[in-house]
């Protein structure tokens, strides 16, 4: 099996370095050549390696390649090692494939931007960091990748750094991510302390953590703490409660960034980590339950907020949070491959939705508010159809991709519920089902709001048959021609739409048990072979779950059609419930009041009191004291000779008294 | 008479001289008090010389006497040169070195 | 009570009284005269202790030369030569000085009463003894012998000192 992961890792790095150093001087074609070349080569190598893996027998599908020995300390050894197994192969394909499509799309979207070269160098850097994260073979190298993707996210969210909101959003993302990094580091410390090694599996460097685990310690407090610390990192990176606040604000970045990082790849790092470290999670069943519950609550919570948002990217952001919750729910019931499956299908349709939204924004000259849209169906045909595909996919309508992966998760949830008969498991399944309806509703609200009804904005509709004309008057005084995006942007949309349609079939097609064809699950099986506690769904359970979920999805679509089918009419709604959801449960305001303002107050007060009064005051007090002493002593210098003679006499008397007392 | 009697008289005279230096403001009277101190010490020297039956004490008195004379000469010359033109003489006027 | 004791007490009281007079009289001339009186009483002390030469030298030089010089200067300077017209700028000094004076006297007396006695080995005996020479030749001869046999060097140096003082006085005393 050829393991070309090193190339997959290094080409984007090379692209980043070249573009970073020389990019500002290169012409546009060269920049694209380097960027597309780097990402394209990465994808090519990943594909070759993937097919090579398919050609090897399942038992031999693990390859661990050490690039460079990093830390050697006695028996402990950690290196830059790349692990290539089914899980990392899947992730590599997704990252480089979707990444390449978005690189192509961005050439059109960012064409007017003066920071064109900077954008592509950051994108290449992100690809490099993400590849590093998913192919690391030990926890420490994973931590490096974890931090680097956080950095890439910061750079790309704050890409338009002259905007204060963008910089603030980037800072918010970084701060919340650091909380997660803290959790990951604590987990690594605990793992090292307990097991003495940090490699995942046994390799040339030494034994691995997962081989050293003792099943007898299941349920121990230490395992629980490790698992929860790891999940803290996942919650921060994958925007779960309570660390989700950064993702909606991250929409300040360019839309391709939102598509790549905050929909398809970076936010899925948390899901990947749970899957990769599943032996550790298996030893802490309570942690898995917590993960499932948090995933479910987050899914519902985010879906409720998305119901009434007006910014189209915000709706998609909250929908991402919601779908990530689904993935964690799947992993929480021990079905890791279901979580990964949903990760892949979500990558397709969420990237599609974001890129299509980007096409709309691009066509409207930067408009993101749904109230200014409508009736774009006739103007943006390709976008319309691809967006529809994406919306159907995310709502879970068969036979599109989203249906298969969601169904997998839902039936796992119901199977778990029927297996252990716990109320909480049933509740989780119920939450998931309700969220299906909500998802369908708000996505179709979005769809109708953008494309149906009459155009409510200030632009001028183009004539029929008018293709893209780069008129200078396009941006004059708010009136411009609305036209479809150029092919460089629409072709990736079409490709992603096709993937959203057929992508699910790769994962599983055993719905009616006609065929137990579950390629992805089978592919990932060697990785998760040690998971024995997964409840398999019986025939009846699966059918019930499927029918109920499709029914709820149709219900949601129907409700959206009734309300918004003729277009989105914005009405000011004073209902307090509506206001609560519209303002995202006032979470940001609460956090600002409870955490941010006290910290700022503390900082200001510390600066004033500690530095001003204590430190400065202390030194001033010393100076003042010395001045006082010297002023007091100065009074001895009266200038009168008689006083000085008196002083001499005092000295003499003291000496004589000393001798008198001494005897 | 025991030696200590003479020495105590000497001590008393010395102290009177010291107090005189500190109390009076007329520089001449201060100078006279200093002479008084020197004489008190002369008395001790002579008394001890008599007790020790040695001429060394009286030698010292002789030297002290001479030095006192020279000192008075120079001191009075200084006082005259400082206070020659003033109407009231007060040592406390010399206070330019106050801090 | 022997004559020596009575004379000692009388002289003691008288000299202390005139010394106190030196520091208390307001008129500078009175102070100078008081000092002359004190010097006289001290000369009588010296006589009592057997130092005849020193006694006479004291009167000749101290009372006769030095105090005359003092009186010259007193009359040359300020017309009234009194320092009570101006207010005392440091009035607290006299109290402190007084108290310290009493302390000093007390401490010195205490030390003199309880201190070690003079080492008897320091007492010169035999041919070195002063009284021996005095009995043989008289006080002045004894004094002269001691001066020119043991103290020649200080003697010569004091003559130098006197010359220097003379020059200094001439320079300082000139009108500016």
């Amino acid at each position: 099996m050829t393991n070309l992961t090193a190339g997959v890792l290094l080409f984007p790095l090379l692209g980043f370095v070249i573009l970073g150093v020389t990019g500002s001087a290169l012409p546009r074609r060269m920049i694209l050549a380097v960027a597309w070349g780097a990402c394209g080569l990465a994808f090519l190598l990943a594909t070759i390696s993937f097919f090579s893996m398919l050609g090897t027998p399942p038992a031999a599908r693990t390859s661990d390649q050490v690039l460079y020995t990093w830390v050697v300390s006695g028996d402990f050894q950690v290196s830059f090692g790349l692990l290539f197994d089914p899980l990392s192969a899947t992730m590599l394909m997704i990252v480089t494939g979707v990444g390449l499509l978005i690189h192509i799309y961005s050439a059109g979207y960012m064409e007017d931007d003066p920071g064109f070269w900077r954008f592509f160098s950051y994108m290449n850097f992100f690809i490099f960091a993400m590849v590093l994260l998913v192919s690391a073979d030990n926890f420490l190298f994973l931590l490096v990748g974890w931090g680097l993707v956080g950095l890439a996210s910061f750079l790309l969210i704050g890409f338009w750094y002259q905007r204060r909101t963008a910089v603030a959003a980037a800072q918010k993302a970084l701060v919340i991510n650091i909380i997660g990094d803290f959790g990951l580091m604590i987990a690594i410390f605990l793992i090292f302390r307990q097991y003495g090694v940090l490699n995942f599996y046994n390799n040339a460097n030494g034994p691995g953590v997962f081989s050293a685990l003792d099943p007898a310690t299941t349920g121990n407090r230490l395992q629980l703490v490790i698992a929860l610390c790891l999940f803290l990192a996942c919650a921060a990176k994958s925007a779960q409660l309570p660390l989700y606040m950064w993702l909606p604000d991250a929409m300040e970045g360019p839309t391709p960034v939102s598509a790549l990082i905050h929909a398809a790849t970076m936010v899925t790092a948390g899901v990947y980590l749970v899957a990769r470290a599943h032996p550790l999670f298996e030893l802490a069943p309570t942690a898995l339950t917590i993960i499932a519950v948090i995933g479910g609550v987050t899914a519902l919570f985010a879906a409720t907020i998305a119901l009434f948002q007006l910014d189209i990217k915000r709706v998609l952001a909250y929908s991402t949070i919601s779908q990530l919750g689904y993935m964690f729910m799947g992993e929480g019931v021990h079905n890791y491959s279901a979580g990964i499956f949903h990760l892949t299908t979500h990558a397709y349709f969420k990237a599609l939705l974001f890129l299509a939204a980007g096409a709309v924004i691009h066509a409207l000259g930067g408009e993101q508010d749904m109230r200014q849209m409508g009736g774009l169906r006739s103007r943006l045909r390709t976008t319309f159809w691809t967006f529809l595909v994406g919306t159907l996919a995310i709502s879970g309508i068969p036979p599109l991709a989203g249906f298969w992966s969601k169904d997998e998760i839902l039936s796992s949830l119901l199977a778990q519920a029927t297996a252990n008969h716990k109320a909480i498991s049933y509740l989780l399944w119920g939450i998931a089902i309700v969220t299906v309806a909500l998802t369908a509703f708000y996505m179709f609200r979005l769809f109708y709001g953008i494309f149906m009804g009459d155009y409510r904005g200030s632009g001028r509709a183009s004539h029929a048959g008018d293709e893209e004309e780069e008129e200078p008057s396009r941006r004059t005084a708010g009136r411009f021609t609305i036209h479809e995006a150029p092919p460089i942007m629409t072709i990736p949309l079409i490709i992603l739409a096709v993937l959203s349609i057929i992508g699910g079939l790769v994962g599983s097609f055993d719905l009616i048990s006609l065929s137990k064809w579950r390629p992805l699950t089978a592919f990932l099986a060697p990785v998760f072979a040690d998971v024995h506690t997964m409840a398999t769904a019986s025939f009846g359970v699966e059918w019930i779950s499927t029918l109920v979920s499709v029914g709820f999805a149709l219900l949601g679509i129907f409700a959206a059609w009734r309300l918004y089918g003729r277009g989105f009419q914005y009405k000011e709604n004073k209902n307090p419930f509506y206001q609560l959801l519209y303002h995202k449960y006032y979470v940001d305001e609460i956090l600002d009041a409870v955490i941010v303002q006290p910290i700022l107050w503390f900082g200001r007060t510390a600066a004033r009191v500690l530095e001003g009064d204590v430190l400065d005051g202390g030194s001033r007090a010393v100076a003042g004291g010395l001045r006082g002493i010297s002023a007091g002593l100065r009074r001895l210098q009266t200038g009168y000779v008689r006083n000085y003679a008196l002083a001499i006499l005092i000295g003499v008397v003291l000496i004589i008294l000393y001798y008198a007392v001494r005897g | 008479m025991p030696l200590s009697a003479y020495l105590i008289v000497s001590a008393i005279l010395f102290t009177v001289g010291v107090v005189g230096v500190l109390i009076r403001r007329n520089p001449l009277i201060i100078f006279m008090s200093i002479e008084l101190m020197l004489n008190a010490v002369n008395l001790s020297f002579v008394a001890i010389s008599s007790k020790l039956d040695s001429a060394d004490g009286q030698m010292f008195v002789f030297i002290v006497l001479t030095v006192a004379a020279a000192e008075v000469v120079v001191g009075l010359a200084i006082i005259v040169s400082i206070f020659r033109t003033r109407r009231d003489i007060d040592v406390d006027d010399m206070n330019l070195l106050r801090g | 009570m022997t004559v020596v004791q009575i004379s000692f007490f009388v002289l003691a009281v008288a000299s202390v009284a005139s010394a106190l007079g030196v520091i208390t009289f307001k008129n500078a001339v009175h102070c100078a005269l008081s000092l002359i009186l004190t010097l006289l009483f001290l000369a009588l002390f010296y006589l009592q202790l057997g130092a005849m030469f020193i006694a006479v030298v004291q009167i000749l030089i101290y009372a006769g030369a030095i105090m005359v010089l003092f009186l010259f200067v007193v009359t040359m300077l300020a017309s009234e030569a009194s320092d009570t017209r101006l207010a005392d700028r440091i009035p607290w000094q006299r109290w402190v000085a007084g108290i310290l004076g009493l302390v000093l006297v007390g401490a010195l007396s205490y030390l003199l009463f309880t201190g070690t006695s003079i080492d008897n080995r320091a007492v010169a005996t035999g041919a070195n003894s002063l009284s021996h020479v005095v009995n043989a030749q008289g006080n002045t001869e004894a004094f002269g012998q001691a001066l020119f046999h043991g103290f020649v060097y200080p003697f010569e140096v004091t003559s130098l000192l006197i010359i220097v003082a003379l020059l200094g006085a001439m320079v300082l005393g000139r009108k500016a």
Side-chain angles (χ1 to χ4, degrees):
Chain A
M1 176 173 71
T2 38
N3 177 3
L4 297 169
T5 318
V8 181
L9 182 68
L10 290 175
F11 277 116
L13 176 63
L14 206 59
F16 161 65
V17 170
I18 293 176
L19 285 176
V21 172
T22 61
S24 54
L26 292 176
R28 206 142 271 201
R29 281 180 202 272
M30 279 291 288
I31 295 176
L32 284 181
V34 173
W36 285 1
C39 201
L41 276 174
F43 178 60
L44 182 66
L45 294 178
T47 316
I48 294 176
S49 310
F50 178 72
F51 278 107
S52 150
M53 176 181 276
L54 286 181
T56 52
R61 286 181 183 169
T62 304
S63 158
D64 203 324
Q65 189 184 30
V66 172
L67 287 181
Y68 174 71
T69 307
W70 186 17
V71 173
V72 177
S73 166
D75 286 335
F76 176 66
Q77 198 174 21
V78 149
S79 53
F80 291 168
L82 301 175
L83 177 65
F84 188 60
D85 72 350
L87 179 60
S88 69
T90 312
M91 295 298 297
L92 279 179
M93 292 294 287
I94 295 291
V95 169
T96 53
V98 175
L100 180 62
L101 287 173
I102 295 180
H103 269 75
I104 297 174
Y105 175 94
S106 312
Y109 189 84
M110 301 295 290
E111 63 182 352
D112 288 335
D113 197 296
F116 193 79
W117 63 277
R118 203 159 47 92
F119 182 80
F120 279 99
S121 76
Y122 288 164
M123 290 289 271
N124 271 6
F125 174 67
F126 169 75
I127 299 286
F128 158 71
M130 193 69 200
V131 168
L132 198 156
L133 196 158
V134 302
S135 47
D137 79 340
N138 61 72
F139 276 103
L140 209 56
F141 204 34
L142 179 94
L143 180 64
V144 171
W146 200 267
L148 286 178
V149 296
L151 174 64
S153 169
F154 173 80
L155 290 172
L156 283 164
I157 295 175
F159 180 71
W160 288 314
Y161 54 84
Q162 287 98 346
R163 277 199 219 162
R164 225 158 43 115
T165 46
V167 172
Q171 281 178 335
K172 188 171 179 177
L174 196 68
V175 167
I176 296 182
N177 259 291
I178 282 179
I179 300 176
D181 293 352
F182 170 70
L184 184 56
M185 277 191 264
I186 297 290
I188 291 179
F189 293 153
L190 288 172
I191 291 172
F192 176 70
R193 191 161 156 274
Q194 178 73 3
Y195 300 107
V197 287
L198 288 179
N199 300 311
F200 292 145
Y201 295 103
N202 298 340
N203 60 11
N205 273 341
V209 175
F210 301 152
S211 328
L213 296 179
D214 181 6
T217 59
T218 308
N220 267 6
R221 207 170 51 179
L222 177 67
Q223 302 299 340
L224 181 64
V225 171
I226 291 178
L228 286 179
C229 286
L230 282 174
F231 183 63
L232 183 66
C234 301
K237 197 67 88 181
S238 301
Q240 298 297 293
L241 281 173
L243 298 172
Y244 72 95
M245 293 81 67
W246 64 274
L247 191 53
D249 285 6
M251 298 298 115
E252 291 286 335
T255 310
V257 170
S258 309
L260 181 61
I261 297 186
H262 306 125
T265 43
M266 189 191 91
V267 292
T268 57
V271 181
Y272 164 76
L273 181 60
V274 174
R276 175 60 76 198
H278 68 270
L280 284 171
F281 285 99
E282 287 294 312
L283 286 185
T286 320
L288 280 177
T289 314
I290 293 176
I291 290 177
V293 168
I294 290 183
V297 173
T298 307
L300 184 62
F301 179 79
T304 55
I305 297 181
L307 290 175
F308 298 121
Q309 294 303 308
L310 295 170
D311 182 332
I312 59 178
K313 283 179 72 174
R314 289 256 145 75
V315 175
L316 293 175
Y318 281 106
S319 128
T320 304
I321 300 176
S322 187
Q323 297 303 309
L324 287 167
Y326 268 102
M327 295 179 216
F328 281 113
M329 271 202 282
E331 293 186 324
V333 289
H334 306 270
N335 196 348
Y336 301 97
S337 51
I340 300 293
F341 183 27
H342 196 56
L343 190 157
T344 59
T345 58
H346 178 261
Y348 304 143
F349 55 70
K350 194 42 71 65
L352 168 63
L353 284 168
F354 265 109
L355 293 185
V360 171
I361 295 171
H362 183 84
L364 294 182
E367 182 60 67
Q368 289 182 231
D369 192 327
M370 210 156 63
R371 293 172 283 190
Q372 305 294 329
M373 301 181 186
L376 294 176
R377 171 182 179 166
S378 47
R379 318 279 169 236
L380 309 173
R381 285 193 194 280
T382 317
T383 313
F384 169 76
W385 285 109
T386 51
F387 202 96
L388 180 60
V389 169
T391 315
L392 285 172
I394 196 174
S395 305
I397 304 296
L400 277 74
F403 163 71
W404 301 105
S405 55
K406 260 200 213 184
D407 178 61
E408 187 87 15
I409 293 178
L410 288 170
S411 50
S412 277
L413 286 173
L414 192 55
Q416 176 88 325
T418 51
N420 63 14
H421 298 289
K422 282 205 204 141
I424 190 146
S425 305
Y426 281 107
L427 189 62
L428 273 177
W429 181 77
I431 287 177
I433 293 289
V434 169
T435 312
V436 167
L438 292 177
T439 306
F441 176 77
Y442 68 68
M443 285 309 299
F444 271 92
R445 168 180 176 266
L446 184 65
F447 175 73
Y448 289 134
I450 296 178
F451 293 105
M452 297 306 195
D454 297 317
Y455 181 58
R456 296 178 295 279
S458 53
R460 190 165 42 90
S462 66
H463 307 302
D466 223 351
E467 285 306 323
E468 10 146 356
E469 293 168 12
E470 294 279 311
E471 332 161 342
S473 62
R474 207 173 133 239
R475 290 191 192 278
T476 50
R479 298 189 60 79
F480 49 85
T481 312
I482 302 172
H483 53 80
E484 182 60 88
I488 200 167
M489 285 166 67
T490 53
I491 289 184
L493 286 179
I494 296 172
I495 296 178
L496 284 171
V498 169
L499 280 174
S500 301
I501 296 174
I502 64 169
L505 305 176
V506 174
S508 96
F509 192 54
D510 70 340
L511 179 60
I512 46 180
S513 293
L514 283 184
S515 68
K516 283 277 172 198
W517 189 41
R518 292 183 159 201
L520 186 63
T521 315
F523 184 63
L524 291 174
V527 181
F528 302 121
D530 49 352
V531 176
H532 303 294
T533 43
M534 183 175 103
T536 46
S538 70
F539 186 73
V541 163
E542 253 207 75
W543 270 103
I544 293 175
S545 172
T546 309
L547 287 175
V548 173
S549 71
V550 174
F552 268 73
L554 290 172
L555 185 65
I557 298 176
F558 180 69
W561 178 70
R562 283 301 295 252
L563 282 177
Y564 304 111
R566 301 254 166 5
F568 177 71
Q569 297 298 332
Y570 175 65
K571 287 184 293 284
E572 185 80 33
N573 193 337
K574 293 284 196 272
N575 182 342
F577 198 57
Y578 172 86
Q579 285 294 326
L580 183 68
L581 289 181
Y582 178 62
H583 284 110
K584 304 161 263 175
Y585 295 97
Y586 295 104
V587 168
D588 282 320
E589 287 81 354
I590 294 174
L591 277 181
D592 183 60
V594 170
I595 294 181
V596 174
Q597 292 304 326
I599 290 180
L600 287 177
W601 171 87
F602 177 70
R604 265 182 256 118
T605 310
R608 186 168 46 85
V609 171
L610 264 186
E611 217 178 313
D613 293 346
V614 172
L615 292 176
D616 283 350
S619 53
R620 258 185 273 121
V622 168
L626 285 175
R627 207 180 297 128
I629 292 177
S630 80
L633 284 178
R634 207 182 304 130
R635 293 180 35 211
L636 284 177
Q637 301 274 5
T638 55
Y640 298 129
V641 181
R642 294 198 290 143
N643 286 141
Y644 301 155
L646 181 65
I648 297 177
L649 176 62
I650 291 173
V652 168
V653 168
L654 285 174
I655 292 175
I656 292 184
L657 281 179
Y658 169 72
Y659 279 109
V661 164
R662 205 169 70 127
Chain B
M1 290 303 295
L3 177 65
S4 50
Y6 291 98
L7 293 183
I8 288 178
V9 172
S10 162
I12 295 174
L13 288 174
F14 184 82
T15 309
V16 168
V18 166
V19 171
V21 167
L22 293 176
I23 289 185
R24 305 301 301 250
R25 282 177 287 134
N26 191 332
L28 292 165
I29 299 179
I30 292 177
F31 216 9
M32 288 184 221
S33 308
I34 293 175
E35 292 306 312
L36 186 55
M37 287 199 280
L38 284 168
N39 274 286
V41 173
N42 278 354
L43 176 60
S44 325
F45 272 126
V46 172
I48 293 179
S49 144
S50 139
K51 171 76 175 177
L52 285 184
D53 214 5
S54 155
D56 293 349
Q58 295 179 19
M59 290 301 115
F60 250 99
V61 171
F62 187 72
I63 306 295
V64 169
L65 214 66
T66 320
V67 171
E71 167 212 338
V72 164
V73 162
V74 175
L76 285 176
I78 293 175
I79 290 179
V80 161
S81 68
I82 293 178
F83 291 97
R84 192 203 297 267
T85 47
R86 291 168 192 260
R87 215 165 81 86
D88 300 310
I89 43 178
D90 183 344
V91 149
D92 288 345
D93 284 338
M94 307 290 116
N95 63 356
L96 287 178
L97 277 183
R98 70 181 309 143
Chain C
M1 292 285 276
T2 62
V3 174
V4 175
Q5 284 178 327
I6 296 173
S7 63
F8 171 79
F9 275 119
V10 168
L11 279 176
V13 170
S15 60
V16 169
S18 56
L20 286 171
V22 171
I23 69 171
T24 46
F25 284 127
K26 304 220 187 317
N27 193 328
V29 177
H30 296 163
C31 294
L33 293 174
S34 216
L35 185 59
I36 293 175
L37 208 55
T38 314
L39 295 171
L40 262 160
F41 289 132
L42 279 177
L44 290 172
F45 258 123
Y46 297 157
L47 273 179
Q48 190 189 39
L49 286 166
M52 278 70 94
F53 185 72
I54 292 295
V56 171
V57 163
Q58 164 107 338
I59 295 176
L60 271 178
I61 296 183
Y62 240 121
I66 295 178
M67 292 318 296
V68 167
L69 182 57
F70 256 109
L71 282 166
F72 265 124
V73 176
V74 165
T75 53
M76 188 164 80
L77 289 183
S79 51
E80 312 219 345
S82 154
D83 60 352
T84 51
R85 266 188 314 166
L86 306 162
D88 194 349
R89 276 173 267 193
I90 30 177
W92 48 269
Q93 168 123 329
R94 62 180 64 182
W95 302 109
V96 179
I99 293 169
L100 278 178
L102 288 172
V103 170
L104 186 62
V105 164
L108 284 173
S109 312
Y110 173 75
L111 277 174
L112 286 169
F113 267 128
T114 62
T116 57
S117 52
I118 290 184
D119 193 351
N120 276 335
R121 288 176 299 157
V123 177
T125 51
N128 282 340
S129 142
L130 181 61
S131 45
H132 177 85
V133 180
V134 167
N135 289 337
Q137 299 162 312
N139 185 269
T140 311
E141 282 83 357
F143 188 86
Q145 273 192 352
L147 180 63
F148 290 110
H149 283 160
F151 283 80
V152 163
Y153 184 61
F155 177 70
E156 299 298 333
V157 172
T158 45
S159 60
L160 183 64
L161 178 69
I162 291 171
I163 295 175
V164 169
L166 206 67
L167 288 170
M170 278 199 292
V171 167
L172 284 169
R174 262 193 294 180
K175 280 230 182 352

